[in-house]
């Protein structure tokens, strides 16, 4: 990173240098040590604030030491996407460092393995020899090793990326660095657990099975062969030089000498000199510079030989041995607990998600470790919180515990009954199955809580706890509290189990409750029985300890705890990652290098793909010729046929692959006088058209067409997404990325009828939005399938789930067979032709097909139009179509076109019946659903979580697909981005993917990660979308928004400098009108403490603000009194606690009042990404500090949800002092702090936005409340006088939720435990 200099050391940095007020400390706190900022340093900071300043000062050595201690070096090698960093860091890890290898023989062996390295070495040597002394000093590195945690983290970072690993790994092995560390006193001191964990991480990367030069991951067979070759070489040299002492070693099989203990026993007969000789003959370094003070004694020599030849576990074996079901021991491992209070001051021994990975296996290993750690962290926190809520206390009986508190997520139980222990499978020691039965006393539970327990599904994980009352007895050592244990929280033991069945009092499996059946219709149940499968690994260890005299753990279990479904999917996801890692799965060849982060980032775009398509049918993408020309402004668009008339869509474009210029990868070596000649892209696009086929005479036969006038950039994205390859679409708020994705799907569906497309989204909500738009296009509904549990939220009349699709097929069967009956009547054909799909097929062959053949023979031979029309054989069948079927004035070609449409209509009937026929044959609903997935569906939609959970099940069915389209891809963790790409088993070693389209916005919300260490140190919140952007993969950034008023869009436009407005927001009347009753279309309203209180925190992370909740509800009431529809208003907040509070206030004041009702939705900002509404009331909650809103991505989401009106409730003093948010709030603070109303207006307003009008200021929530109270009284009086009636309560989604809660007996209480913590501090 820095230029080497050799000044005198004037003292190490002290505490004042690292924690004081000097400029470097302040810079570090601001840009890479700050808890709420990402670790990646911005380019301008590196260049202007660091590099230029150091260069001007002459790179003072003390300053460099300060920056080293401030962790700049670790950040440097994690920011290789920055050109300046890459240029300065590359020499530090180049082949020049091989000057420090022990001997020429070591280099020669490397050259023999990879001959191209010799050429690179000669070039480096020439460069060194031709340089002057000053330059040579810069090219030479003095490697005095320092053993510290930061140094190990730094080495691990170098080893974890191929460009920095390529030459460093050989040097680390040559220096015997791992052996030196292992023998150091620092490593062997018991309190240095973090140092040992960092050593283990470094060792993992040093020996990771990948070729350092080619980057190809070694298979298990190749790894074993390499290990065997090393042992064979050891045996040959031993036999040749130490035959007397090492004869047994030389003649033993490999398995007998590859363990550390056995190999050490074989080498012990050698004396120190002989050990040194053997190490030298094997090519190991045995001498070090005197300044290094390395003692190469017997212990060191043995360590060198043992570490080089012992068999090490592969990363797959390490993953296999890691438990994925927690116990109290794994939840409270010191390795995990060190990550609990991360503040950036120390290293952590966890892998990082970088820009680059060594291999797909390396990526899966890192993801597995981090996902497991994050899952266990969340489980531990929930278990501790649940036990705390239950308030366990001792009773007179020493083995009994009484729970004074309550949690809906837990039920006290007696010990589980172990009812079956199946014998182990062949080759295993653990039981194949351990089944237990647990009795649940549900007699005192509310109806809603009991139903939640009854709705536990098969394979859901529950937690069995042995809880003891406890006090905090953690020891204090050396000024710091020791790591907590499970017993500090009252958790003596914890075991996980998987649900098999939920049984009622009589032992019958509980099915779904019949609609409308509540406690009023049936006796209150008292007991439910739960059949579960105990964790077999933990059970095996428990029984072994019991035999050794330890207590029986299962006798002490007294509590069962469950978790919410979405948070509790960790086991299946971890299982999926394990399976993928063990299967050597690879991404497609065309995507491999880009995915791993190497090579040319443009290589996967369609312009570089060998199978790009030069001619494509864009169907209804373009609305007319003018739209086509406007969409390709840099190209000359010409019709194939010179015709003065303007041709109409659909358009087929030829030469579209040349519409985007290719980006050739520049050569690394260029002469100074070389002149780069750019190759001009082809400018011409030829356009042809055709007449769309007539699909039939009925109005329902007409195809649905696109009505959106796509912008040029949107068209560019559609073109790229329709072509093979990788497409990354950046969609700022309101720019129509969902519409773009929908049109891509439509084009692929029609242009490539044999291909199948997989749709993935982060949430059910985002997926349903995309799916609903697809159903409005010309796509046959029989080819659509929605998997998962969010299908019920689809606002469509058709059920698109697997079983819903099966029922639809069978329902359509009756309709189409009735049409066959009508066709039989048309021919007066006797017989039961509509008895089944099979008999309908015979009828088609015998009657329909010959009739059409006869008609077309006559039509082609006859020129008389009336004779052709009269010979049409289906007049009776089409008698219910719009008449006349053949208009009298029609020409022959028109008559024939109508007849072709009729034929297509009839052919579609028998085609549908042919597709339905397998469902007549298949007997079980499971077989029918699987057939639908494998054979019928062409567009399959699911969430990323569902894909991760069901990956193995879906792949084992033989599911195949060609295209993946991900919506909100920037909100999905990288492993959940990857799994949908591997949802099918490889064919001939390759995945058959042709297209990957990622739609998202990395400037909005990222994946939510609760643990700060995993989020910032390990970068677990990184999405594949964001990594591709950082790598320089070409992106298509949509540049025109059509959602919000231009003035509202200005609030977040500074995040998107090129964002413009579409014509609709500039011309449509709703955007030009003012908001009735409001002086401004948006306003920040400063809300002071209410009743002496601002923010409150009943439980950790559960923030509430009663003043803002009252203000938000009162403002909503005001809008409703003016006539604003409830469905056009949403209330957003930044914390789940505030959401519960607002819902509670709404429930008391508005839900049952027909004047008000409830808004469309009350939810958190995080859950509202991708949604929009006309009017948004936003509560920021915090009054002490900005909290997680310092992450500007979340504020961007919050400010961009409103179309016409945005009213923000917050504390100005908090947000105006927040530097990160200054750009967003500067425009908000230009308007008054107090809400300004315009009395006398009703919705919709007649006043224009630019009209000046006096406003009435509301001085606070009490003032506004009194104002609304008077308005309400006046409204009621006017209704009484006029004899009017109150309006019906509008059925918004929020009202439905409240009704469901009331029916279940939920309401009023502000319990935090069943809410998601969206605001992560």
């Amino acid at each position: 990173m820095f230029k080497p200099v050799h000044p005198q050391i004037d003292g190490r940095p002290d505490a004042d240098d690292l924690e004081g007020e000097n400029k470097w400390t302040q810079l570090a706190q601001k840009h890479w040590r700050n808890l709420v900022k990402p670790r990646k340093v911005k380019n301008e900071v590196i260049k202007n604030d660091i590099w230029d300043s150091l260069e001007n000062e002459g790179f003072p050595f003390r300053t460099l030491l300060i920056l080293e201690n401030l962790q700049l070096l670790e950040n440097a090698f994690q920011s290789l996407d920055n050109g300046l960093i890459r240029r300065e860091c590359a020499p530090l890890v180049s082949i020049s460092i091989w000057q420090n290898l022990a001997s020429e023989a070591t280099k020669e062996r490397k050259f023999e393995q990879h001959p191209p390295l010799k050429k690179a070495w000669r070039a480096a040597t020439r460069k060194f020899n031709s340089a002057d002394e000053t330059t040579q000093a810069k090219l030479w590195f003095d490697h005095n090793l320092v053993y510290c945690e930061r140094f190990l983290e730094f080495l691990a970072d170098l080893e974890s990326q191929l460009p920095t690993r390529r030459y460093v790994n050989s040097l680390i092995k040559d220096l015997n660095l791992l052996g030196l560390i292992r023998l150091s006193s620092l490593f062997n001191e018991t309190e240095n657990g973090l140092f040992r964990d960092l050593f283990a991480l470094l060792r993992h990367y040093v020996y990771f099975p990948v070729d350092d030069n080619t980057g190809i991951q070694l298979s298990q067979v190749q790894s074993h062969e390499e290990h065997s070759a090393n042992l064979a070489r050891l045996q040959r040299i031993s036999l040749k030089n130490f035959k007397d002492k090492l004869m047994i070693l030389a003649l033993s099989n490999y398995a007998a000498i590859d363990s550390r203990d056995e190999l050490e026993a074989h080498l012990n007969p050698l004396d120190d000199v002989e050990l040194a000789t053997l190490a030298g003959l094997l090519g190991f370094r045995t001498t070090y510079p005197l300044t290094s003070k390395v003692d190469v004694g017997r212990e060191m020599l043995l360590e060198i030989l043992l570490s080089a030849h012992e068999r090490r576990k592969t990363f797959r074996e390490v993953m296999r041995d890691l438990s994925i079901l927690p116990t109290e021991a794994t939840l409270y491992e010191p390795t995990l607990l060190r990550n609990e209070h991360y503040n950036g001051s120390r290293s952590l021994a966890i892998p990082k998600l970088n820009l680059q990975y060594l291999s797909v296996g390396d990526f899966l290993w890192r993801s597995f470790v981090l996902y497991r750690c994050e899952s266990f962290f969340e489980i531990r926190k929930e278990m501790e919180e649940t036990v705390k809520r239950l308030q366990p206390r001792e009773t007179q009986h020493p083995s009994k515990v009484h729970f004074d508190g309550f949690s809906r997520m837990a039920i006290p139980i007696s010990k589980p009954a172990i009812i079956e222990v199946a014998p182990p499978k062949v080759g295993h020691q653990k039981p194949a199955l351990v089944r237990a039965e647990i009795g649940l006393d549900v007699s005192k539970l509310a109806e809603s809580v009991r139903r939640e327990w009854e709705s536990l599904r098969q394979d859901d994980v529950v937690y069995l706890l042995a809880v003891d009352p406890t006090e905090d007895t953690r020891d204090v050592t050396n000024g710091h509290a020791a790591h907590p244990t499970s017993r500090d929280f009252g958790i003596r033991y914890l075991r996980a189990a998987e649900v098999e069945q939920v049984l009622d009092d009589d032992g019958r499996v509980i099915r779904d409750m019949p609609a409308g059946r509540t406690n009023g219709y049936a006796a209150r149940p008292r007991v439910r029985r739960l059949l579960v499968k105990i964790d077999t690994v933990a059970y095996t260890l428990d029984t072994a300890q019991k035999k050794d005299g330890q207590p029986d753990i299962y006798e002490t279990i007294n509590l069962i705890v469950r978790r919410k479904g979405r948070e509790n999917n960790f086991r299946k996801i971890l299982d999926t990652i394990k399976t993928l890692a063990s299967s050597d799965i690879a991404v497609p060849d065309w995507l491999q290098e880009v995915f791993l982060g190497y090579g040319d980032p443009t290589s996967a775009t369609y312009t570089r793909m060998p199978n790009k398509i030069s001619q494509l049918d864009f169907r209804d993408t373009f609305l007319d010729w003018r739209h086509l020309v406007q969409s390709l402004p840099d190209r000359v668009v010409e019709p194939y046929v010179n015709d003065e008339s303007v041709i109409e869509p659909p358009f087929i474009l030829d030469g579209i692959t040349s519409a985007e210029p290719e980006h050739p990868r520049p050569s690394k070596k260029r002469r100074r006088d070389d002149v780069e000649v750019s190759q001009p892209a082809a400018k011409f696009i030829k356009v042809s058209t055709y007449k769309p086929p007539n699909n039939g005479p009925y109005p329902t036969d007409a195809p649905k067409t696109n009505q959106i006038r796509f912008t040029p950039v949107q068209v560019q994205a559609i073109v790229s997404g329709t072509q093979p390859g990788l497409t990354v679409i950046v969609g700022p708020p309101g720019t129509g990325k969902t519409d773009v994705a929908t049109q891509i799907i439509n084009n692929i569906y029609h242009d490539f009828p044999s291909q199948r497309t997989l749709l993935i989204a982060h949430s059910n909500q985002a997926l349903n939005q995309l799916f609903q738009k697809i159903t409005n296009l010309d796509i046959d509904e029989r080819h659509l399938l929605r998997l998962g549990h969010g299908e019920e939220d689809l606002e469509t009349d058709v059920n698109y789930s697997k079983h819903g699709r099966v029922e639809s097929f069978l329902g359509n069967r009756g309709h189409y067979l009735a049409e066959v009956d009508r066709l039989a009547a048309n021919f007066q054909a006797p017989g039961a032709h509509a008895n089944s799909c099979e008999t309908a097929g015979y009828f088609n062959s015998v009657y329909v097909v010959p009739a059409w053949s006869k008609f077309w023979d006559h039509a082609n031979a006859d020129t008389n139009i009336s004779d052709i029309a009269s010979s049409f054989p289906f007049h009776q069948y089409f008698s219910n179509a719009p008449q006349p079927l053949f208009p009298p004035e029609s020409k022959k070609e028109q008559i024939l076109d109508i007849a072709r449409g009729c034929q297509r209509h009839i052919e579609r009937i028998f085609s549908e019946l042919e597709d339905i026929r397998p469902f007549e044959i298949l007997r079980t609903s499971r077989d029918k659903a699987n057939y639908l997935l494998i054979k019928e569906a062409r567009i399959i939609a699911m969430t990323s979580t569902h894909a991760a959970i069901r990956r193995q099940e879906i792949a084992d069915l033989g599911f195949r697909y060609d295209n993946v389209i991900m919506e909100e891809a920037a909100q999905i963790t990288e492993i959940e981005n990857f799994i949908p790409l591997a949802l099918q088993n490889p064919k001939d070693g390759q995945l058959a993917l042709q297209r990957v389209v990622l739609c998202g916005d990395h400037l909005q919300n990222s994946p939510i990660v609760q643990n700060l260490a995993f989020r910032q140190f390990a970068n677990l919140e990184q999405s594949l979308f964001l990594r591709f952007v950082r790598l320089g993969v070409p992106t298509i950034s949509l540049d025109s928004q059509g959602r919000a008023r231009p003035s509202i869009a200005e609030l977040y436009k500074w995040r998107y400098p090129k964002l413009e407005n579409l014509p609709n927001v500039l011309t449509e009347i709703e955007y030009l009108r003012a908001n009735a009753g409001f002086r401004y279309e948006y306003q920040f309203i400063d809300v002071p403490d209410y009743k002496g209180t601002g923010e409150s925190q009943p439980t950790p992370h559960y923030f509430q603000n009663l003043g803002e909740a009252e203000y938000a509800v009162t403002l909503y009431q005001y809008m409703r009194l003016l006539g604003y529809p409830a469905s056009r208003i949403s209330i957003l907040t930044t914390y789940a606690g505030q959401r519960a509070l607002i819902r509670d206030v709404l429930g008391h004041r508005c839900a049952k009042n027909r004047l008000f009702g409830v808004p469309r939705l009350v939810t958190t900002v995080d859950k509202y990404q991708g949604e929009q509404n006309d009017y948004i009331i936003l509560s920021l909650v915090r009054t002490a500090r900005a909290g997680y809103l310092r992450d500007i991505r979340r504020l961007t989401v919050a400010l961009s949800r409103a179309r016409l009106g945005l009213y923000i409730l917050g504390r100005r003093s908090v947000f105006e002092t927040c530097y990160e948010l200054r750009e967003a709030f500067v425009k908000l603070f230009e308007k008054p702090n107090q809400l300004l109303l315009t009395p006398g207006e009703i919705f919709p307003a007649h006043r224009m936005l630019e009209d000046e009008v006096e406003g009435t200021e509301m001085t606070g929530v009490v003032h506004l409340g009194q104002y609304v109270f008077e308005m309400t009284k006046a409204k009621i009086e006017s209704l009484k006088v006029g004899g009017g009636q109150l309006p019906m309560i509008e059925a918004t989604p929020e009202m439905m939720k409240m009704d469901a809660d009331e029916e279940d007996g939920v309401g009023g209480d502000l319990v935090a435990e069943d809410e998601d913590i969206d605001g992560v501090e």
Side-chain angles (χ1 to χ4, degrees), residues 660-782:
E660 292 296 323
E662 293 192 12
H663 306 281
R665 187 177 181 180
S667 172
K668 292 183 179 178
K669 297 181 180 179
R670 290 183 53 198
R671 299 183 183 274
R672 253 179 222 181
D673 55 352
D674 282 351
V675 178
E676 186 174 346
V677 180
S678 60
Q679 297 296 328
K683 294 284 186 180
F684 292 91
I685 295 178
K686 291 289 187 178
V687 181
S688 59
T689 187
Y690 60 92
K691 183 180 179 182
N694 187 328
N695 288 325
Y698 298 97
T700 55
D701 291 328
K704 304 173 185 175
T705 57
N706 164 56
Q707 301 299 320
I708 299 172
R709 198 172 193 87
F710 292 112
T711 67
V713 177
Q714 288 177 321
V715 168
Q716 181 186 354
I718 292 169
V719 170
S720 179
T722 309
Q723 290 278 357
L726 172 65
T727 300
V728 180
I729 303 172
V730 180
T735 52
K737 60 180 179 293
T738 304
D739 294 320
V740 169
T742 304
Q743 190 62 33
I744 292 172
I745 294 164
N746 189 37
N747 288 350
I748 294 173
Y749 175 83
H750 290 286
D751 288 349
F752 309 98
S754 63
Q755 293 187 10
R756 314 179 80 202
T757 301
L758 183 64
L759 306 185
I760 299 293
H762 164 66
S763 63
N764 283 310
Q765 171 184 298
L767 191 63
N768 287 345
Q769 286 180 343
L770 179 61
F771 207 74
Q772 282 165 202
K773 291 194 174 185
I774 292 171
T775 60
N776 294 327
L777 295 178
D778 186 30
I779 294 177
D780 196 329
E781 68 176 37
R782 64 189 166 133

Side-chain angles (χ1 to χ4, degrees), residues 1087 1089 1093-1096 1105 1108 1180-1185 1210-1211 1213-1215:
V1087 180
D1089 289 352
T1093 304
E1095 70 178 49
S1096 60
N1105 185 321
E1108 289 187 18
L1180 300 181
V1181 183
R1182 303 302 300 274
T1183 59
R1185 58 190 182 91
R1211 184 67 56 89
S1213 60
V1214 170
F1215 294 100

Side-chain angles (χ1 to χ4, degrees), residues 14 377 497:
D14 54 25
F377 167 80

